[in-house]
Amino acid sequence: MKYLVIPALLLLVLWLVKRKITNRIRRARGEEIPPEPAIRPITVISGAILVIYGGYMLWYLIGHGYASVAGP
């Protein structure tokens, strides 16, 4: 799972840096920059990570039973 999350976060950082540089260039040219969308990419990625890890936790707890987690 961590092998999927790390590249996703790296791509997000690269996208954010590229967007920031592009916006600075456009602002320097005097172009109007449209407002940001209501749902930001970090919100989508964090929601996906929560759903994936939460689903894995539920799958583990249901599959192995609560007794093995609680101890003797």
Side-chain angles (χ1 to χ4, degrees), residues 8 10-12 14 17 21 31 34-35 39-40 46-47 49 54 56:
L10 287 175
L11 285 172
L12 174 69
L14 289 174
V17 168
I21 291 171
E31 296 178 20
I39 298 178
R40 296 174 39 187
S46 63
I49 291 171
Y56 174 74

Side-chain angles (χ1 to χ4, degrees), residues 67-68 70-72:
S68 64

Side-chain angles (χ1 to χ4, degrees), residues 2-72:
K2 64 183 173 186
Y3 299 116
L4 296 176
V5 172
I6 292 172
L9 291 177
L10 287 175
L11 285 172
L12 174 69
V13 168
L14 289 174
W15 180 81
L16 288 173
V17 168
K18 179 184 172 192
R19 191 170 129 240
K20 181 168 268 198
I21 291 171
T22 304
N23 284 344
R24 283 187 183 181
I25 292 171
R26 291 176 68 189
R27 204 174 293 125
R29 290 182 189 161
E31 296 178 20
E32 185 177 329
I33 299 171
E36 291 187 14
I39 298 178
R40 296 174 39 187
I42 189 67
T43 306
V44 173
I45 288 181
S46 63
I49 291 171
L50 283 173
V51 167
I52 291 169
Y53 279 119
Y56 174 74
M57 182 183 70
L58 290 175
W59 174 77
Y60 182 82
L61 289 175
I62 292 170
H64 293 92
Y66 293 105
S68 64
V69 176

